[in-house]
Every structure is written in structure tokens, then in C-alpha cells.
Amino acid sequence: MASPAPRISVSVWSELSAFQRVMRPRGGTNAWLRWLPVSVHKKLDSFIKQVFGDSSRKVEGKNGMPLMTKKTGLSDILEADAKQIAKVARETFDMDGPLLVIASGRDTISVASSIKRFAPENVFVVQIQHPRSWLDRFDLVITPRHDYYPLTPHARQQIPWLLRPWITPCEPPGKNVVLTVGALHQADVAALRSAASAWHNELASLPKPLLVVNVGGPSSNCRYGIDLAKQLASMLQNVLWSCGSVRISFSRRTPEKVSKILVEEFRTHPKVYIWDGEGPNPHLGHLAWADAFVITADSVSMLSEACSTGKPVYVIGNDRCTWKFADFQNSLAERGVVRPFTGKEDISESWSYSSLNDTAEAANRVNSALAARGWRILTSTK
């Protein structure tokens, strides 16, 4: 009789949390050191504190509070320790099989690769977001297609050769690279079904069609200011006749000068509700109940979520995006999942497209890679 396949457990230990964080030093000169790998950044920060003392507590944030005392929302989550995680993986391997490690974001790259180095036979490491080089440090890398835009001839002409190793992937995607169209997110069918129920009393009775407007914030590769805010306000005025109701939300990155224009324009309009940031965040409820979206082009995440609903998505500011973010906008347009917002739309009209399903497809690729090694995922109920 064949022996059972080894198991991969998401949470197989009691002394460590299933979710762990990687945090950079904050305050003082640390804002200028974010380009360093986290491990190097921490060592340099420790050296600076030993020599000059901990001056970071004297540095104030935008709200006047010391940066070191500001709550991050991660205070109850353990800091990731690569050696400790690898130790647990080795100790539990015989009983529970290899440990699945999923790391997300640039700051986790060094920690995730260290875990793989310390326990190569006892872990399966998935890195979300492109590490730029040495992809064989990970069992699987999940990254958007536009991360490979810098390898195109047009993009390479825009980068000084000295900067290319820091900006571009060093090689085309290999077998262990999973390419997505957009960003991974949690707004799947189950999450939206739950959100629809949770927000039913507030959103179900709104006049239709419901247009949701999500405003992000400018970035180095998608610059805008009050000019775009004024343009958006004018365009929204032009389509209000075709809307039953409109709900506007701002992100934490939205400059006050941008939000102020929209608030002043629509604060008294009977069809328009503007979320002020107080109380429960309606974002998932909006995704579930909206009939159409208008979204600023700067946010890959907001666009990815909206484009997974199958509902019309209009983009404003896409002509201001550069570099790989322009490539992302082009890929959405080519797939027919977004259209530019012109202010001439009839929001009651719809169109069909093949909605993005990146998260589920990436999960299937993880499962397939595990199955190829004779493994399967078992989630712990501890």
C-alpha cells in the first residue's frame, strides 16, 4: 500500500502565530533607508542608535504624534524570525509534513529566502511580488505581468544601465513564476457574498444604478493633483442624470486638496454620499452592491478588485500613468475590462467581459505545484 502523501500545514505550531509581520525601523533617518533590504536596514538602524542615540522618537508624523508611538494595527502580530520559523519547520516535518510559507511584499523577500535557505527540504516558499533576481530562492513566485515590462526594448531604453539591476527583473519568467494580470486580493465570490449580506440594510435600497467612485492618490508613476479632481468632478456632474445614486470613497493616500474639491462639489447633492472615513469601511460592500465603478488609475489594487466583479469599470487618469503602470492600464484596456471615463457615459448601460480571477488562478497554480511533489494543503483547526 502506498504511503500517504506528506502534508503541508498552514498553521502547525502553537508557539508561533500563523500570521507574522516584517517591519522596518521607523522615524528619524529611516525614511531615507527604505531602499535597503530589511535585514541590512535593521542592522544599520541599530548601529546608528548605538552611535547617535535613538532620535527617532523625536520625529513627528503628519498628525504631530511621534512616529514610534503611532499604532500600526500589527501590534498583536509577531515579527517574523526566519531562523525560528525554519526551526519549527524542521521539528514538525516528520509529523506534519513541510510548512507552507507565503510571503507578500518587497520587505518580506529577504526573510522568505532565508527561511528557504535554513530549511530547504522542510518548507515550500511562495513569494508574492517580484524579487528581481535569484528566483530559484523560492519554490514559486507570483507577480503581475507588468513587473516584466522593464525587460521590453522600449522600457530598457528608458533606464540608465547602472540602474537596471535595481529596477528590472534579471531574467524572463521561469517555470516557477506565476504571472497575474493585476494584484492579488481577498474580494472573491465568498467575500462579496458576505459583504452583500453585511451591507444589505444600507445599500440594497439605494436607487439604481449605483455608481461607486474610488479615489486613490498620486504616485511617482501616476502624477495628478487638483486638476484631475476638478476634471473628475465635472465629469461626474455630466453623468449624474443616468445614476440613481453615487457613493464616493477616498483612500489614505488621497491628498486633502483632491478630496476637498469633490466634497465641496457634491456635499449637498441628494444623489451623492461621501464616506468620511468614520465607522466601518464600506469598500467590500461597495464592490458587492455597485452597478458600475469610476476609479483613479493610480491604484492597481482597487482596479484589480473592481475588475474581478464583472461590472463596468471606468478609469480616470490612465493617460498620466508611466512606466510599468501604463503597461498595466494598457493590458486592462486590451482585455476590455476597463474603459476610459469621459463624462459622456450612460451609467445604466453595461458591457460584458471576462472578469479577472487572478487570486483563484494563482491558488490553483500553488496547489498544482504542491501536487507535483505529492503534497496537499491541510489547514490547521488549532
Side-chain angles (χ1 to χ4, degrees):
M1 179 181 296
S3 59
R7 298 180 300 161
I8 289 189
S9 300
V10 172
S11 178
V12 297
W13 61 85
S14 58
E15 67 268 24
L16 292 178
S17 170
F19 293 94
Q20 298 192 25
R21 63 180 182 176
V22 174
M23 294 287 287
R24 287 183 177 273
R26 305 175 69 198
T29 59
N30 287 301
W32 301 94
L33 301 176
R34 294 188 62 83
W35 59 275
L36 292 171
V38 174
S39 56
V40 177
H41 187 174
K42 288 182 176 179
K43 291 177 181 178
L44 183 56
D45 176 67
S46 177
F47 173 77
I48 292 173
K49 287 179 179 178
Q50 289 177 10
V51 176
F52 300 104
D54 186 1
S55 61
S56 60
R57 296 181 182 275
K58 300 178 183 179
V59 178
E60 294 184 347
K62 293 181 180 179
N63 59 359
M65 292 180 61
L67 287 175
M68 291 296 289
T69 64
K70 291 170 70 176
K71 293 183 179 180
T72 64
L74 299 174
S75 58
D76 295 330
I77 303 178
L78 293 176
E79 182 77 11
D81 184 326
K83 290 183 178 179
Q84 180 65 10
I85 294 173
K87 179 175 179 289
V88 170
R90 290 192 298 269
E91 291 176 348
T92 61
F93 181 80
D94 290 339
M95 179 180 297
D96 296 306
L99 178 67
L100 175 61
V101 177
I102 300 177
S104 180
R106 180 170 61 90
D107 288 349
T108 66
I109 290 172
S110 61
V111 175
S113 61
S114 294
I115 294 171
K116 183 66 177 178
R117 186 173 72 253
F118 294 145
E121 304 300 324
N122 311 111
V123 295
F124 188 93
V125 178
V126 180
Q127 178 65 46
I128 300 173
Q129 192 167 332
H130 203 287
R132 293 193 179 93
S133 60
W134 301 319
L135 270 60
D136 56 354
R137 294 176 291 173
F138 312 96
D139 295 288
L140 216 57
V141 172
I142 302 174
T143 190
R145 294 180 188 276
H146 59 261
D147 273 357
Y148 279 94
Y149 169 74
L151 286 183
T152 63
H154 177 69
R156 293 179 72 86
Q157 292 176 2
Q158 304 174 49
I159 316 171
W161 69 271
L162 283 174
L163 297 180
R164 288 177 187 172
W166 302 96
I167 297 176
T168 68
C170 293
E171 56 195 13
K175 293 182 179 179
N176 69 326
V177 177
V178 177
L179 296 178
T180 64
V181 177
L184 302 188
H185 56 82
Q186 295 180 328
D188 59 9
V189 173
L192 294 186
R193 186 183 301 117
S194 176
S197 176
W199 288 89
H200 179 275
N201 292 342
E202 183 169 342
L203 302 180
S205 59
L206 292 178
K208 296 289 189 176
L210 168 58
L211 175 66
V212 166
V213 181
N214 289 333
V215 182
S219 65
S220 59
N221 289 293
C222 195
R223 298 182 184 277
Y224 62 85
I226 60 174
D227 55 337
L228 187 71
K230 290 178 179 179
Q231 182 184 359
L232 175 58
S234 175
M235 289 178 174
L236 288 175
Q237 287 284 12
N238 290 338
V239 301
L240 274 176
W241 68 269
S242 66
C243 300
S245 49
V246 177
R247 289 176 69 98
I248 301 175
S249 292
F250 304 107
S251 79
R252 289 173 294 181
R253 299 184 299 106
T254 308
E256 184 179 357
K257 61 183 180 181
V258 170
S259 59
K260 185 177 180 180
I261 288 174
L262 292 168
V263 170
E264 290 180 350
E265 182 76 18
F266 297 107
R267 72 192 325 162
T268 60
H269 199 290
K271 283 188 176 184
V272 181
Y273 169 85
I274 301 176
W275 184 54
D276 60 5
E278 299 295 326
N281 190 330
H283 181 62
L284 283 176
H286 285 172
L287 288 173
W289 284 102
D291 296 298
F293 302 91
V294 171
I295 300 176
T296 54
D298 56 275
S299 178
V300 174
S301 295
M302 288 195 302
L303 284 168
S304 299
E305 291 170 337
C307 292
S308 70
T309 66
K311 303 171 184 177
V313 179
Y314 298 99
V315 183
I316 183 168
N318 54 322
D319 56 327
R320 301 168 185 239
C321 291
T322 60
W323 194 232
K324 65 180 183 179
F325 298 97
D327 187 62
F328 170 64
Q329 296 293 336
N330 291 336
S331 70
L332 295 182
E334 289 170 359
R335 286 174 169 78
V337 298
V338 301
R339 294 180 180 178
F341 187 49
T342 64
K344 300 177 181 179
E345 291 80 6
D346 179 348
I347 300 302
S348 64
E349 295 181 354
S350 185
W351 75 84
S352 61
Y353 59 87
S354 180
S355 57
L356 301 188
N357 197 28
D358 286 327
T359 304
E361 291 171 2
N364 289 337
R365 287 290 302 274
V366 172
N367 282 321
S368 296
L370 296 173
R373 302 189 189 185
W375 299 337
R376 63 183 183 275
I377 297 177
L378 296 179
T379 56
S380 172
T381 57
K382 294 181 181 179

